[in-house]
């Protein structure tokens, strides 16, 4: 009688595959090691700087459209785009045609202006 390794391979795979879906647990620290550390989850957003000319101000939605120059930290070329303004008081600094230097961060899908001069 010939020996066939196929039943043993099927058994090995059926045992190994379900185990892949389980989280790894570090019992010495009482935590799931497949999760990212808390510091990585709540890292502060990187601030980017740009300068440009305001083309539109929408006070109702706290948004401004700015034709800005290149943003080196994001490797963006010059373009016109709409930003959310974080603080209503800061919104008063923007008026159509005004040249501004500003700092912004990315929050989800939005780019939010956090300071301007």
């Amino acid at each position: 009688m010939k020996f066939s390794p196929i039943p043993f391979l099927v058994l090995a795979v059926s045992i190994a595959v379900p185990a892949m879906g389980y989280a790894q647990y570090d019992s010495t620290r009482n935590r799931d090691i497949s999760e990212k550390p808390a510091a990585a989850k709540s890292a502060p957003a990187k601030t980017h700087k740009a300068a440009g000319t305001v083309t539109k101000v929408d006070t109702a939605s706290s948004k401004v459209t700015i034709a800005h120059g290149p943003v080196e930290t994001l490797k963006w070329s010059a373009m016109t785009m709409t930003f959310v303004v974080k603080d209503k008081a800061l919104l008063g600094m923007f008026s159509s045609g005004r040249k501004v230097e500003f700092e912004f961060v990315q929050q989800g899908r939005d780019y939010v202006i956090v300071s301007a001069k």
Side-chain angles (χ1 to χ4, degrees), residues 3-92:
F3 174 77
S4 175
I6 293 176
F8 294 106
L9 289 173
V10 170
L11 178 63
V13 169
S14 66
I15 292 171
V17 171
M20 291 177 170
Y22 294 106
Q24 296 177 355
Y25 189 78
D26 180 357
S27 62
T28 60
R29 295 196 180 159
N30 236 3
R31 67 181 177 98
D32 182 350
I33 60 175
S34 64
E35 291 182 6
K36 291 183 179 178
K41 291 180 183 177
S42 62
K46 180 169 175 52
T47 303
H48 308 283
K49 295 180 180 184
T53 304
V54 178
T55 59
K56 181 180 176 184
V57 179
D58 182 354
T59 54
S61 63
S62 295
K63 294 183 179 181
V64 294
T65 304
I66 302 173
H68 64 79
V71 180
E72 297 296 325
T73 54
L74 291 170
K75 297 181 181 168
W76 286 355
S77 58
M79 67 178 92
T80 300
M81 62 185 286
T82 302
F83 295 87
V84 174
V85 180
K86 183 176 183 171
D87 186 359
K88 291 270 187 192
L90 188 60
L91 193 60

